[in-house]
């Protein structure tokens, strides 16, 4: 659905995106995971046609370049910066966007989306009166008015509480289940781990690794740590096969508690860059 | 195309929700029109400071001075030498020096046999607007005293008719004619009020009479002369209406950029040209709406007359088009909302001020009148005056309309190209 080949984009001497290649298929949630300044937003901007890449190509389904009018009808974008008219109500925002897209029955469509992100009770309130999390949810709904099939969500959960986050992640999951292609940027690795079918780890404009979460962890995550508590004290073991280690401990006897710490994407990032994802 | 209309509608809705922007587009111009209308009609609370010199004392002269003194609209200083009075004017301590000539008493006696009383007035040339007010007020009071002496409304009305005839033929300056008309209309109102009542109500109406500015509106319009000061001030208001509209929409594109909503529009199926068209359309509609609001307010409240409806329609359309072009140039020139509202506002403010927004075009000293040609606001105000009290025909209207249309074409092509490059 989304085909990105070796795109590059520099701002002066900063290579914000430095040769990025990936594919996103229908029904897939593709995570772009990376720290601040990794180039995630710039990659999204080039993929959605806001910026022309310096080199490389992007294709949106059959429609080709994202700058083509036909492709733009397929693209849904929730920018990182909340992009709403604060002086309009939630419903007015969505109705306006639906009209711009030529959607029949724009009011019905707006209410459908408001319901989906749980804002229907606040439909008649101005966006300026919304909390950050509510604005985030509306920002997501605004990306979906025209039923796009290639959806770009740039940090859709930035600054929201756990409840709003769950609501947003549910919506994203549903979009993928409906057969859309979703690109999802974040620097929360738990989130990527939870919903992304595949993840690309980005740093300094480059993609360091791509794969399913399990693949990435298996390849770059390193050992699990098994901790066995016994009367003799605590005993920590690094191992690729934690279950076997536990079996052994139980067989020895005397164990009062057993814990496994499995490697996560954080460890993957550490292994790939030598730095932590968030400091 | 339909998307652009929806974009324009959205912008209009945003304008109405933005209290400050809506105020400067709709309320402020009206306030300016009212303010200047009252200032020039001479009903400000501040009394005019006037010097007076009586060449030769007579009962008529004494009566006039007394009436002026009691009027409340003046602060009268009677000097006993002409030079002393002129000195007061020169020092700016008086707007003008009223000279009651020795022939005044004689003139009053001859008013109804075809003659007339003459008064002299020396005004400070730099205070022409106040001078015009002064002339009006002096005429008004003078009429009142004449009327009080004679007390015959029918004959008085006849005198007024005759004066109006001679006024049409006279080569008096614009301000003098405006002032005399205002005065005559007031005198006429008074005299008709008295004519259909008893002697008691007649003197009652005289005693109660206060210069109420709305009265002047009862003058019917004559080609080339505004019926009253509101005919001028409401056209001035148009400059401020356009100022407000252009300013709020000129920063609209910057605002969408800063808010991030421009990205949404660019990712939508709208082309950049359609987006800019929508912006220009919203500005165009707002300019039209506020222009007509002023025209209608002037018509209904102060009997400002439109001399030529088709031309008025053309004027408002072309003006709105021209100023949509200016809006686009503003958007191209200042990329941030702060820039537009700061530097952009300053530039527009100067243009609106020299374009007739503060000093009306007809009162402008020559150098300012030349400078005002550089201001698009001048052409808008001029065209609006042309379709109202100036009673212009198509041929006279051609130049301002052509200038405004050219500004529109230039602004919309160049401005759009520049903005497109920046989005
Ligand atoms: N318009 C721009 N002009 C100049 N430099 C830019 C511009 N946009 C991005 N950059 C630079 O490109 C690099 C990548 O920025 P980008 O916004 O893509 O990062 P990001 O991964 O989205 O970060 P974050 O998690 O903070 O959103 C940064 O160094 C940034 O300073
Ligand atoms: Mg970003």
């Amino acid at each position: 659905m989304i085909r990105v080949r070796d795109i590059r984009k520099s701002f002066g001497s900063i290579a914000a995106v430095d040769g990025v290649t990936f594919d996103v298929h229908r029904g897939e949630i593709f995570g772009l995971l990376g720290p601040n300044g990794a180039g995630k937003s710039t990659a999204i901007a080039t993929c959605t046609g806001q910026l022309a890449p310096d080199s490389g190509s992007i294709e949106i389904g059959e429609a080709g370049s994202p700058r083509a009018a036909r492709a733009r009808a397929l693209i849904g974008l929730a920018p990182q910066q909340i992009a709403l008219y604060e002086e309009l109500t939630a419903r007015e925002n969505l109705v306006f966007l639906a009209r711009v897209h030529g959607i029949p029955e724009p009011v019905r469509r707006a209410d459908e989306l408001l319901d989906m992100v749980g804002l229907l009770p606040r439909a008649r309130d101005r966006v300026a009166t919304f909390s950050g999390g509510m604005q985030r949810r509306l920002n997501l709904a605004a990306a979906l008015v025209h039923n796009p099939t290639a959806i770009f969500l740039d940090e859709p959960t930035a600054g929201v509480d756990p409840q709003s986050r769950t609501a947003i992640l549910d919506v994203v999951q549903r979009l993928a289940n409906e057969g859309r292609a979703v690109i999802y940027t974040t620097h929360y690795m738990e989130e990527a781990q939870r919903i992304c079918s595949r993840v690309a780890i980005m740093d300094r404009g480059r993609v360091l690794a791509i794969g399913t979460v399990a693949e990435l962890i298996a390849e770059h995550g390193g050992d699990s740590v098994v901790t066995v508590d016994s009367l003799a004290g605590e005993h920590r073991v690094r191992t690729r096969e934690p279950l076997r280690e536990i079996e052994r401990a139980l067989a020895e006897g005397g164990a009062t508690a057993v814990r496994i710490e499995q490697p996560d994407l954080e460890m993957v990032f550490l292994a790939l860059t030598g730095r932590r994802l968030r400091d | 195309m339909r998307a652009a209309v929806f974009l324009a509608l959205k912008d209009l809705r945003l304008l109405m929700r933005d209290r400050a922007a809506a105020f400067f587009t709709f309320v402020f111009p009206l306030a300016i029109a009212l303010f200047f209308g009252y200032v020039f009609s001479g009903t400000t609370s501040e009394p005019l400071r006037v010097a007076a010199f009586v060449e030769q004392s007579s009962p008529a002269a004494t009566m006039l001075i007394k009436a002026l003194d009691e009027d409340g609209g003046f602060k009268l200083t009677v000097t006993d030498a002409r030079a002393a009075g002129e000195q007061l004017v020169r020092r700016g301590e008086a707007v003008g020096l009223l000279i009651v000539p020795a022939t005044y008493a004689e003139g009053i006696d001859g008013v109804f046999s075809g003659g007339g009383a003459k008064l002299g007035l020396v005004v400070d040339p730099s205070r022409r607007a106040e001078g015009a007010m002064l002339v009006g007020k002096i005429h008004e009071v003078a009429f009142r005293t004449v009327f009080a002496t004679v007390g015959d409304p029918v004959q008085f009305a006849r005198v007024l008719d005759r004066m109006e005839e001679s006024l049409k033929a006279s080569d008096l300056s614009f301000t003098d004619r405006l002032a005399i008309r205002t005065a005559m209309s007031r005198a006429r109102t008074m005299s008709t009020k008295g004519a259909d009542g008893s002697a008691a109500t007649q003197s009652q109406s005289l005693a109660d009479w206060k210069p109420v500015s709305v009265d002047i509106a009862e003058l019917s319009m004559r080609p080339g002369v505004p019926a009253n000061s509101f005919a001028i001030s409401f056209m001035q208001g148009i400059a401020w209406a356009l100022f407000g509209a252009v300013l709020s929409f000129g920063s609209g594109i910057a605002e969408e950029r800063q808010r991030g909503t421009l990205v949404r529009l660019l990712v939508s199926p709208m082309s950049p040209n359609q987006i800019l068209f929508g912006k220009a359309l919203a500005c165009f509609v707002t300019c039209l709406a506020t222009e007509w609001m002023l025209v209608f307010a002037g018509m209904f409240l102060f009997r400002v007359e439109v001399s030529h409806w088709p031309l008025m329609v053309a004027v408002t359309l072309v003006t709105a088009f021209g100023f949509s072009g200016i809006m686009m140039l503003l958007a191209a020139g200042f990329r941030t909302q702060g820039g537009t509202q700061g530097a952009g506002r300053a530039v527009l403010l100067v243009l609106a001020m020299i374009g007739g927004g503060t000093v009306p075009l007809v009162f402008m000293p020559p150098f300012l009148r030349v400078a005002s040609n550089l201001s698009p606001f001048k052409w808008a105000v001029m065209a609006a005056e042309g379709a109202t009290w100036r009673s212009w025909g198509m041929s006279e209207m051609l130049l301002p309309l052509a200038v405004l249309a050219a500004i529109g074409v230039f602004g919309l092509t160049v401005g759009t190209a520049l903005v497109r490059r920046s989005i």
Side-chain angles (χ1 to χ4, degrees):
Chain A
M1 185 68 212
I2 302 165
R3 214 175 108 94
V4 177
R5 289 292 171 273
D6 198 29
I7 52 166
R8 284 165 207 275
K9 180 76 196 176
S10 303
F11 300 103
S13 61
I14 302 171
V17 174
D18 195 10
V20 166
T21 296
F22 59 82
D23 287 282
V24 185
H25 309 288
R26 286 172 172 276
E28 196 175 36
I29 301 174
F30 184 77
L32 276 181
L33 186 61
N36 291 143
K40 306 182 292 291
S41 295
T42 309
I44 297 261
T46 32
C47 288
T48 53
Q50 303 160 52
L51 291 175
D54 297 338
S55 68
S57 74
I58 301 137
E59 279 170 43
I60 306 293
E62 305 291 292
S65 157
R67 301 208 128 189
R70 220 152 58 87
R72 279 188 306 195
L74 301 177
I75 294 175
L77 167 68
Q80 178 173 4
Q81 180 200 354
I82 288 182
L84 298 164
Y85 300 101
E86 289 194 354
E87 292 310 314
L88 297 184
T89 67
R91 185 182 278 136
E92 282 167 347
N93 265 284
L94 297 184
V95 168
F96 163 66
L97 289 169
R99 291 213 159 108
V100 163
H101 279 94
I103 305 298
E105 295 187 75
V107 178
R108 222 197 53 178
R109 179 66 185 147
D111 284 356
E112 230 169 73
L113 289 166
L114 286 171
D115 192 31
M116 183 164 103
V117 295
L119 287 175
L120 201 49
R122 301 291 304 263
R124 293 155 63 89
D125 293 339
R126 292 189 191 188
V127 173
T129 67
F130 280 15
S131 74
M134 288 157 72
Q135 293 188 357
R136 270 282 162 222
R137 282 186 272 158
L138 190 59
N139 197 46
L140 171 63
L144 307 175
V145 280
H146 55 298
N147 249 315
T149 41
I151 299 172
F152 296 82
L153 308 177
D154 199 351
E155 304 202 13
T157 56
V160 302
D161 65 18
Q163 207 178 337
S164 273
R165 171 178 311 228
T166 305
I168 289 171
L169 294 184
D170 285 349
V171 171
V172 175
Q173 191 63 63
R174 207 157 103 197
L175 293 171
N177 294 347
E178 288 166 4
R180 303 168 210 270
V182 181
I183 292 192
Y184 187 105
T185 81
T186 182
H187 46 219
Y188 296 117
M189 44 112 202
E190 323 84 65
E191 243 175 62
Q193 223 157 344
R194 185 163 142 197
I195 64 161
C196 291
S197 0
R198 281 189 309 136
V199 173
I201 307 253
M202 258 191 103
D203 190 33
R204 297 182 177 150
R206 292 169 181 277
V207 171
L208 303 178
I210 292 190
T212 63
V213 173
E215 281 167 3
L216 291 177
I217 291 173
E219 200 168 331
H220 307 282
D223 301 335
S224 298
V225 176
V226 174
T227 310
V228 179
D229 289 341
S230 66
L231 293 173
E234 197 184 73
H235 176 64
R236 287 166 67 93
V237 185
R238 295 188 156 273
T239 172
R240 285 256 159 180
E241 293 169 322
L243 288 181
R244 183 156 304 170
E245 194 60 37
I246 291 170
E247 263 173 29
R248 212 166 51 82
L250 291 177
E252 275 176 13
T256 53
V258 179
R259 286 193 306 278
I260 313 178
E261 288 167 51
Q262 288 187 297
D264 55 16
L265 287 176
E266 184 76 54
M267 307 301 295
V268 173
F269 189 80
L270 187 63
L272 287 170
T273 65
R275 288 181 292 130
R276 300 206 145 257
L277 191 51
R278 277 184 288 157
D279 314 288
Chain B
M1 182 59 208
R2 282 190 42 168
V5 173
F6 289 126
L7 180 64
L9 286 174
K10 183 269 298 172
D11 279 345
L12 292 174
R13 181 173 278 174
L14 282 177
L15 174 70
M16 298 319 290
R17 298 239 168 119
D18 181 345
R19 286 211 197 104
F23 173 83
F24 276 105
T25 313
F26 293 103
V27 183
F28 182 67
L30 202 57
I32 288 271
L34 291 172
F35 174 73
F36 281 116
Y38 280 110
V39 166
F40 293 127
S41 75
T43 48
T44 46
S45 49
E46 185 83 350
L48 282 176
R49 280 181 301 178
V50 182
F53 166 59
V54 180
E55 276 185 5
Q56 191 187 338
S57 183
S58 67
T62 311
M63 194 162 172
L64 174 69
I65 294 294
K66 187 162 169 280
L68 285 172
D69 213 16
E70 287 169 355
D71 179 77
F74 301 103
K75 199 162 164 288
L76 206 62
T77 315
V78 180
T79 59
D80 40 42
R82 183 182 168 127
E86 283 177 356
Q87 195 60 32
L88 286 177
V89 176
R90 217 164 273 137
R91 286 205 304 256
E93 284 164 24
V95 175
L97 167 66
L98 172 72
I99 298 160
V100 185
T103 56
Y104 180 70
E106 242 172 82
I108 289 286
D109 292 340
V111 159
F112 296 107
S113 52
K118 282 204 167 56
L119 290 169
L121 184 68
V122 181
V123 287
D124 177 347
S126 69
R127 300 171 75 176
R128 236 183 258 175
E130 286 164 293
M133 277 162 63
L134 185 56
V135 175
K137 295 232 58 158
I138 288 174
H139 272 98
E140 177 192 306
V141 175
F143 272 122
R144 235 156 72 201
T145 56
V146 171
F147 182 44
T149 336
V150 182
D152 181 348
V154 181
Q155 201 165 20
F156 186 62
R158 220 177 291 144
V159 174
L160 283 175
D161 287 341
R162 201 157 57 227
M163 288 203 63
E164 198 146 327
E165 284 303 314
S166 62
L167 184 64
K168 249 186 262 176
S170 73
D171 55 355
L172 284 174
S173 80
F174 164 80
T175 48
D176 286 351
R177 270 196 285 175
L178 171 60
I180 294 170
R181 275 255 154 70
T182 306
M184 289 201 309
S185 118
R186 283 177 176 168
R188 199 186 285 277
T189 317
M190 244 168 56
S191 114
T192 38
K193 245 190 249 162
D196 50 41
S198 64
T201 55
Q202 184 180 316
S203 57
Q204 185 70 27
S205 78
L206 267 180
D208 286 348
W209 195 80
K210 293 258 157 41
V212 179
S213 60
V214 185
D215 291 352
I216 23 170
E218 290 180 8
L219 259 190
S220 70
M221 198 182 68
R222 296 291 142 80
V225 180
N228 57 47
S229 53
F230 294 94
I232 295 177
S233 69
F234 271 72
M235 302 305 114
Q236 276 184 288
I238 286 183
W240 296 106
L242 296 169
F243 172 80
V246 163
L247 202 59
S248 43
F249 288 105
S251 61
I253 295 167
E255 189 175 347
E256 296 236 19
R257 185 187 295 120
Q258 278 169 322
R259 283 247 178 120
T261 43
L262 188 61
V263 166
R264 273 205 202 288
L265 298 179
L266 289 172
V267 176
S268 84
M270 286 181 99
S271 70
N273 277 340
Q274 280 178 313
I275 295 172
L276 296 184
F277 176 74
K279 292 279 167 196
L281 184 64
C283 181
F284 178 83
V285 169
T286 306
C287 288
L288 266 189
T290 144
E291 280 183 279
W292 281 105
M293 176 201 73
L294 280 169
V295 171
F296 283 128
M299 274 175 62
F300 293 122
L301 300 176
F302 300 101
R303 305 211 191 151
V304 173
E305 283 181 46
V306 173
S307 63
H308 197 308
W309 283 96
L311 270 185
M312 190 77 223
V313 171
V315 164
T316 50
L317 285 173
V318 176
T319 302
F321 175 72
F323 277 79
S324 303
I326 291 177
M327 181 280 290
M328 202 56 86
L329 288 176
L330 192 68
F334 302 98
R335 290 206 46 191
T336 62
Q337 216 182 325
T340 319
Q341 295 290 346
R345 180 192 291 269
V347 172
L348 278 183
L349 195 64
V350 170
L351 289 177
M353 274 165 42
I354 67 166
T358 43
V359 184
L361 297 173
V362 289
F363 293 144
M364 277 185 184
F367 79 91
L368 191 54
R369 206 168 301 169
V370 174
S372 72
N373 286 332
L374 292 174
S375 167
F377 290 96
K378 179 243 177 85
W379 300 101
V381 172
M382 189 105 133
E385 287 182 347
T388 52
W389 62 267
R390 283 184 198 260
S391 304
W392 277 357
M394 192 58 213
S395 58
E396 291 155 303
M397 199 59 99
L398 222 50
L399 178 65
L401 288 189
V403 171
L404 289 167
I407 292 173
V409 170
F410 176 79
L412 287 175
T413 50
V414 175
T416 307
L418 289 175
V419 176
R420 273 209 56 172
R421 257 205 286 168
S422 74
I423 60 179

